Amino acid sequence: MDTEEFLLPRSRTANERLHALIPGGAHTYAKGDDQYPEHLAPVISHGRGAHVWDVDGNRYIEYGSGLRSVSLGHAHPRVIEAVRRELDRGSNFVRPSIVEVEAAERFLATVPTAEMVKFAKNGSDATTAAVRLARAVTGRPRVAVCGDHPFFSVDDWFIGTTPMSAGIPAATEELTVAFPYGDLAATEELLSRYEDEVACLILEPATHSDPPPGYLAGLRELADRHGCVLIFDEMITGFRWSEAGAQGLYGVVPDLSTFGKALGNGFAVSALAGRRELMERGGLRDSRDRVFLLSTTHGAETHSLAAAMAVQTTYTEEGITAQLHALGERLAAGVREVAAAMGVGDHIVVRGRASNLVFATLDETGQPSQRYRTLFLRHLLAGGVLAPSFVVSSALSDADIAHTVDVAAQACAVYRKALDAGDPTPWSAGRPVKPVFRRLA
């Protein structure tokens, strides 16, 4: 489809309605229409497998589904069957459901490095509970976050470190400090500078590349030596790296870890897991001061826990992690090949673990460019590819991958023209896409 004909009139009207009623026009900033080319932000009608349809009737191959949460594809039959079975039995009760213990047993069998687990509805609740627990057990106020990782929580202890810190007291901001990924010496210097003040180190165990040899084990040793809690944020690495997360793949056991996203295949469920000695501080069998760990009305919603159990069963029985890697490797190889063939191999850069691919769009000088990202996204959308990233789901077919590569090739050809002209504006048609974290709208 020619990009000039690709106007999405119904989506544009729906976006106006969204902004009139919902601040930002979406319930997650990363889904905002500012993340897409101007007037080309599809509003979704429905999805099935690796495809979604917008309200204008266009079908897309979708990547990064549900912000990486839908790794099995939309409306996966095994997950939906489990959910429907629980819906007929009630969703929430005045006492725990038997489903809660079944879900906990299933989770701890899948992630055997943890000894206890508590479920919630979103990742922020889990990471904030982990931080609160770390502060309680250590008696220390500071939180050390990995400064190279983009997001940990919607709560003040993290958002205070971002450009969107309006409304957060300076005293709260000052209690969060940052350490660089992969640099043990810098982390040790930080812990020594704030000796006996840092409650925890929290990081994603891996992102675009494997951790440097010995890095995670080195963090484990530093945490032990300085008496702080080691927390792995496995929201993304959970299941996509291995069924037991990055900790299962790399063999380093954190004190606490948090899971979400792929855990429910789109249903709202997250988990805080970890060592019994720490987790029991939020229970009823410890004599010390209690920690308000997690207490959520909908945390034990039966159909979401059923979805999580079905996801874990599907992953282990069908080898989903291996499938994701194979699909991602095929996609990455194809896009890199066509980018190189069009002379933009140094400007459209596919990176990351095969199951969690992202792409960088670089300008004439090799610097990241939102304007060139706008151009690339615009031409992917016009070709029926909705791809804020290249994060795959297991529902993708060989034909989907082939079509994506073909559309990427067409986008790369336009990208080359823009580079030659030294300006992508004529091919972008409107304001550039914007970073999520910025001070002004």
Side-chain angles (χ1 to χ4, degrees):
M1 179 187 301
D2 186 278
T3 56
E4 297 308 313
E5 299 174 2
F6 189 64
L7 298 176
L8 305 184
R10 291 179 181 172
S11 288
R12 187 172 177 178
T13 299
N15 274 310
E16 290 299 321
R17 292 168 59 199
L18 284 163
H19 279 282
L21 301 173
I22 300 166
H27 286 91
T28 308
Y29 284 115
K31 294 184 182 183
D33 58 6
D34 60 340
Q35 302 301 294
Y36 292 84
E38 192 168 13
H39 307 316
L40 292 183
V43 174
I44 305 303
S45 165
H46 63 286
R48 183 164 297 278
H51 297 148
V52 294
W53 287 257
D54 66 22
V55 293
D56 291 280
N58 299 300
R59 187 182 79 160
Y60 306 86
I61 302 168
E62 186 196 40
Y63 292 90
S65 312
L67 304 182
R68 295 178 171 86
S69 67
V70 185
S71 60
L72 301 177
H74 298 291
H76 186 274
R78 199 165 187 172
V79 177
I80 295 301
E81 180 185 357
V83 168
R84 285 196 176 118
R85 188 165 56 244
E86 287 304 323
L87 286 175
D88 288 336
R89 294 159 54 85
S91 62
N92 211 335
F93 312 106
V94 75
R95 279 281 293 149
S97 162
I98 191 64
V99 173
E100 294 175 50
V101 71
E102 293 170 350
E105 289 170 344
R106 187 71 187 83
F107 181 90
L108 294 171
T110 305
V111 187
T113 41
E115 296 174 319
M116 297 188 84
V117 62
K118 197 156 191 180
F119 296 109
K121 302 309 286 181
N122 62 68
S124 293
D125 286 347
T127 53
T128 292
V131 166
R132 185 186 304 117
L133 181 56
R135 282 172 160 162
V137 299
T138 61
R140 299 174 178 180
R142 294 190 187 274
V143 177
V145 304
C146 182
D148 298 313
H149 296 164
F151 187 77
F152 288 103
S153 174
V154 300
D155 294 300
D156 288 2
W157 63 269
F158 174 70
I159 295 299
T161 70
T162 76
M164 294 177 71
S165 60
I168 298 172
T172 298
E173 295 180 32
E174 291 164 3
L175 290 177
T176 300
V177 294
F179 62 93
Y181 188 81
D183 191 336
L184 290 173
T187 306
E188 183 165 24
E189 190 279 328
L190 180 78
L191 292 172
S192 297
R193 189 190 329 154
Y194 297 107
E195 189 68 47
D196 298 328
E197 292 184 39
V198 175
C200 60
L201 300 171
I202 182 169
L203 73 157
E204 295 180 67
T207 52
H208 300 324
S209 58
D210 286 330
Y215 174 63
L216 295 180
L219 277 184
R220 175 71 277 173
E221 190 275 330
L222 278 178
D224 291 339
R225 179 149 48 90
H226 286 269
C228 54
V229 175
L230 181 61
I231 304 170
F232 283 175
D233 178 344
E234 298 248 32
M235 293 296 159
I236 292 173
T237 53
F239 299 97
R240 286 189 180 273
W241 263 241
S242 82
E243 286 82 1
Q247 59 195 278
L249 180 64
Y250 301 124
V252 176
V253 181
D255 298 301
L256 300 171
S257 55
T258 58
F259 288 76
K261 300 219 181 262
L263 181 58
N265 201 53
F267 286 92
V269 58
S270 63
L272 168 64
R275 293 196 290 119
R276 181 178 301 277
E277 178 187 356
L278 300 184
M279 296 288 286
E280 280 282 24
R281 288 293 297 271
L284 298 176
R285 297 184 176 182
D286 192 281
S287 60
R288 291 166 292 183
D289 288 350
R290 297 178 69 194
V291 177
F292 195 92
L293 190 58
L294 277 169
S295 183
T296 56
T297 299
H298 301 292
E301 194 174 55
T302 57
H303 57 269
S304 290
L305 294 181
M309 286 189 281
V311 166
Q312 291 165 88
T313 300
T314 302
Y315 261 80
T316 54
E317 291 186 359
E318 298 183 16
I320 296 296
T321 303
Q323 291 183 37
L324 295 175
H325 277 80
L327 288 163
E329 286 171 358
R330 199 174 311 143
L331 175 63
V335 174
R336 287 169 182 151
E337 182 180 353
V338 296
M342 297 296 173
V344 296
D346 293 331
H347 298 273
I348 294 177
V349 182
V350 180
R351 57 171 65 125
R353 193 168 181 84
S355 59
N356 190 54
L357 296 170
V358 296
F359 55 83
T361 51
L362 310 181
D363 64 15
E364 300 88 351
T365 66
Q367 295 302 307
S369 169
Q370 294 294 92
R371 294 192 304 153
Y372 276 99
R373 179 175 173 84
T374 307
L375 179 155
F376 192 57
L377 288 175
R378 182 178 182 86
H379 288 82
L380 290 179
L381 283 165
V385 176
L386 180 57
S389 68
F390 280 145
V391 176
V392 298
S393 75
S394 64
L396 288 161
S397 67
D398 290 343
D400 292 329
I401 298 291
H403 179 75
T404 302
V405 172
D406 287 344
V407 171
Q410 297 168 34
C412 287
V414 179
Y415 205 110
R416 182 67 260 172
K417 292 179 183 178
L419 287 170
D420 291 340
D423 181 10
T425 304
W427 293 274
S428 300
R431 56 105 181 109
V433 298
K434 299 177 181 181
V436 168
F437 287 115
R438 59 186 192 275
R439 190 168 67 88
L440 299 174

